[in-house]
Each structure stands twice: as C-alpha cells, then as structure tokens.
Amino acid sequence: DVQPAVGGSAEQQQQRRTPVKRLKGPAAAEAEAEAAAGRPTLFHEGTRVACQPRAETERVQSAPPSLSVGGYDRVLVDAECTHDGSVKHLSKFAAWGWETFEKRFLEPERLASLESLQRALLRNGFGQLKPGGSLVYSTCSFARRQNEGVVEWLLACEPSARCVPLGALLHGAPCRTGSLEDTVRFEPCSSGTSALFIAKIQKLPLALAD
C-alpha cells in the first residue's frame, strides 16, 4: 500500500493524495513533517522509500549538459504519469464517477508539476549511464506532453543523447511509431493492451555527439 505526501495547503495535499492505507504512529509524523517542508515523499507500508525536494527537481531540470560518467549500462525510467491510458486505472472511475475525470487527470497545476517530475526523472536516469549505455523511458499516458515532449526536452538539453531505433519491436508487436522518430506507442484500440509509450535513448561520448 502506497501513500504519497506532498507540500502545499491541507486542502491541496488532500486533493493530490490517493491514500490506500492511512499512516499511523511515527510514519504519520514523518509524513507530515516532510509535507510541511514541501518535499514529495513516498511511503510503502509505513516506511519512507523516496523523497526529493522540489528545489532539487528544478535544479536537475536547469542543469547544464551532463559531464559525469555514470556506472550503468542500462537504466529504466518507468515514469509517474496521469495513467490516462491505463485500462486498470480508468476502470476505477466506475467507483469514483466519470465526472471526476477532469479534476483527477487534467488539473493544470498537477500536469505542470508532473511534467517537471518526469523531466527530472529522465535526466537523472540519463546521468547514471556509462557512455554507450542506454535508457528506456516509458509511461502509460496518451499525452504527447508526457511522452515525446519529455524526450525531446532531454535531447535538446543533452548533446550526448540520441533516440535508438526500435525497428525489431515495431515489426514484431502490435504498436506504431510515435510522433517523434524512433519512439513507439501501444494503444488499446490497436494492440488490445493499455496505452504504453516507449523511447530508448543511448548516451554517446560527448566527443561523438553532434
């Protein structure tokens, strides 16, 4: 069971949370302290498992091109998204009510915050790669802003980043090319699955980047 705690007013916090289990005891106190400090925090079964201050998210987005050499050959960034393409998540509206769809998925402040988080996650992941290593970025959203838009942003920021063709996947699975070359989309109407966006990005040595 997962409960996120975020900063802002009590009303804003309540709107942004999707509590599955209410925290109790020391975990509850820790969550409130993190929320008061404006630090997005993820708790799993009462234990804090992730926390990144908003200022850190903004710093990662505005940083110059990465000159560091990470230690990983492969990185997966399965990013948090609006889940608007997930059949499992959409089925929850039978209980929530479809009149709440716009509030839950399309609230402008949430979308802007989510895009910032996705950019930071992708750039952080890219920084962990060795030269020659590759990263897969994925979401279950239909939104271009959360998919091709985030990848285009990274390519513009990082001269050593390039999309890798996924031709083998295109020829062997019921998917189509995204609006950005070398990206892939699965869609319920054509693939019989939830929506899925995939981009594979390789890290080149800066000396080879054009």
Side-chain angles (χ1 to χ4, degrees):
D1 295 337
V2 174
Q3 176 176 337
V6 297
S9 68
E11 181 179 356
Q12 289 173 327
Q13 291 177 37
Q14 185 61 38
Q15 289 175 347
R16 293 175 186 171
R17 288 173 178 157
T18 308
V20 177
K21 182 173 72 174
R22 185 175 297 278
L23 297 175
K24 297 180 181 179
E30 186 178 9
E32 290 304 318
E34 297 292 351
R39 292 191 286 267
T41 307
L42 184 65
F43 284 82
H44 178 67
E45 296 184 348
T47 301
R48 185 174 68 176
V49 296
C51 176
Q52 177 165 286
R54 289 177 178 170
E56 176 66 10
T57 298
E58 294 170 359
R59 183 194 68 77
V60 171
Q61 285 194 81
S62 60
S66 175
L67 300 177
S68 63
V69 177
Y72 293 92
D73 296 301
R74 303 286 185 270
V75 170
L76 171 64
V77 179
D78 186 21
E80 173 66 13
C81 68
T82 49
H83 309 296
D84 54 283
S86 167
V87 173
K88 180 178 180 181
H89 278 80
L90 291 175
S91 67
K92 296 177 182 178
F93 283 93
W96 292 342
W98 282 99
E99 67 277 6
T100 68
F101 180 85
E102 184 172 354
K103 179 180 179 181
R104 291 178 183 273
F105 279 163
L106 304 178
E107 198 273 321
E109 183 182 355
R110 178 173 183 266
L111 291 176
S113 176
L114 189 57
E115 182 183 34
S116 296
L117 175 62
Q118 290 162 340
R119 288 181 174 187
L121 288 171
L122 182 55
R123 199 165 195 187
N124 260 331
F126 185 78
Q128 304 305 312
L129 289 174
K130 296 177 180 179
S134 60
L135 174 152
V136 169
Y137 174 79
S138 64
T139 80
C140 60
S141 173
F142 289 114
R144 190 185 192 284
R145 179 178 178 181
Q146 299 178 54
N147 296 323
E148 292 94 340
V150 173
V151 174
E152 287 173 336
W153 172 84
L154 180 75
L155 298 177
C157 293
E158 295 285 355
S160 60
R162 73 169 185 184
C163 276
V164 177
L166 293 165
L169 181 60
L170 281 170
H171 289 104
C175 56
R176 67 172 180 85
T177 302
S179 62
L180 177 64
E181 186 177 5
D182 296 328
T183 62
V184 165
R185 282 178 174 266
F186 288 80
E187 297 173 335
C189 59
S190 56
S191 66
T193 68
S194 291
L196 177 64
F197 172 83
I198 303 172
K200 186 176 181 180
I201 301 167
Q202 185 177 35
K203 186 174 192 178
L204 301 173
L206 281 175
L208 299 180
D210 295 326

